[in-house]
Amino acid sequence: MAQHLHTIGFDADDTLWQNEQFFRMTEAHFAELLADHAETDRLTERLLEAEKRNLGHYGFGIKGFTLSMIETAIEVTDGKVDAQTIAKILAAGREMLRHPVETLPYVGDTLEALAGRHRLVLITKGDLFDQERKLAASGLGDHFDAVEIVSDKSAATYRRVFADHCADAMMIGNSLKSDILPALEVGSWGVYVPHALTWTYEHADKPEMNPRYREMTDLSGLGPLIQEIEGTKR
Ligand SMILES: [Mg+2]
């Protein structure tokens, strides 16, 4: 049945631009710094535990990640980590906050084609400054009618952002847990665009039985999908 999609929400990190690769690079550097104290696998595990533990205190993003690296360094060295190593970890975190913004394929053209026809909303978590910086550097800001930098993405988040239009809204993103499942829960469409690198925390089972769930390899499929839903496909 044809319907007009009023609002289309886009995740930012690893949906519009590269992100996780910078975390992986920094993790590899972190493992080198602490190679004398812990095996890489074990260190990665401890770091993930620290990140999960700290989400409720620091929220998502690079600042919390940096603090979790320091906490993990203290743990695995039994409190003996030297100030120089801490300084290197802090520098690695600051480096992440300066990383170049590399948009993913079809992003610019897709947003341009949809702008004006739907209300486009960017919905992202992470550090406020960092997300604002990346949006400005991406040159994509003008396509969006609204930008929501939120502390977490739950059903309540989508209910608030999509408001009266939950049933005629769509969310697009690379995280099943944050972008897709909660959007489906409020009755919206959920379009999963997997990225080769996705943080373990964001993994979840695919809701393949949900009629409003779709998956595509990149954003080039989005225009045709919207035409199909709206019954305007030629
Ligand atoms: Mg993402």
Side-chain angles (χ1 to χ4, degrees), residues 132-194:
E132 286 177 341
R133 169 189 80 89
K134 290 190 284 191
L135 182 61
S138 73
L140 300 170
D142 287 347
H143 297 311
F144 289 100
D145 298 291
V147 175
E148 295 278 347
I149 301 173
V150 297
S151 57
D152 200 3
K153 290 174 172 175
S154 63
T157 313
Y158 293 103
R159 213 170 276 127
R160 177 179 65 75
V161 174
F162 294 157
D164 293 338
H165 294 283
C166 283
D168 43 349
M170 173 184 272
M171 182 65 193
I172 295 126
N174 73 305
S175 166
L176 287 163
K177 182 176 180 159
S178 298
D179 303 320
I180 308 305
L181 297 179
L184 290 172
E185 195 181 325
V186 303
S188 306
W189 292 81
V191 180
Y192 176 47
V193 189

Side-chain angles (χ1 to χ4, degrees), residues 42-80:
R42 179 157 163 65
L43 192 68
T44 306
E45 227 169 79
R46 296 287 288 266
L47 178 57
L48 181 63
E49 279 166 24
E51 288 182 84
K52 283 185 186 166
R53 211 163 49 227
N54 287 331
L55 277 177
H57 303 296
Y58 309 138
F60 295 89
I62 292 170
K63 279 186 292 183
F65 177 64
T66 306
L67 290 171
S68 293
M69 282 195 290
I70 293 174
E71 191 173 307
T72 306
I74 293 171
E75 274 177 21
V76 300
T77 61
D78 295 321
K80 295 190 192 69

Side-chain angles (χ1 to χ4, degrees), residues 50-132:
E51 288 182 84
K52 283 185 186 166
R53 211 163 49 227
N54 287 331
L55 277 177
H57 303 296
Y58 309 138
F60 295 89
I62 292 170
K63 279 186 292 183
F65 177 64
T66 306
L67 290 171
S68 293
M69 282 195 290
I70 293 174
E71 191 173 307
T72 306
I74 293 171
E75 274 177 21
V76 300
T77 61
D78 295 321
K80 295 190 192 69
V81 63
D82 56 288
Q84 229 179 9
T85 304
I86 302 275
K88 284 179 185 163
I89 294 170
L90 287 168
R94 273 194 306 273
E95 193 55 43
M96 288 178 81
L97 292 165
R98 280 195 298 264
H99 74 72
V101 175
E102 189 190 325
T103 52
L104 288 160
Y106 308 105
V107 164
D109 289 348
T110 301
L111 291 175
E112 202 176 323
L114 298 176
R117 305 187 56 239
H118 313 269
R119 177 172 177 259
L120 300 189
V121 187
L122 182 79
I123 309 170
T124 178
K125 358 179 244 199
D127 296 308
L128 181 61
F129 278 4
D130 186 42
Q131 296 297 21
E132 286 177 341

Side-chain angles (χ1 to χ4, degrees), residues 11 13 15 174 179:
D11 167 53
D13 291 339
T15 297
N174 73 305
D179 303 320

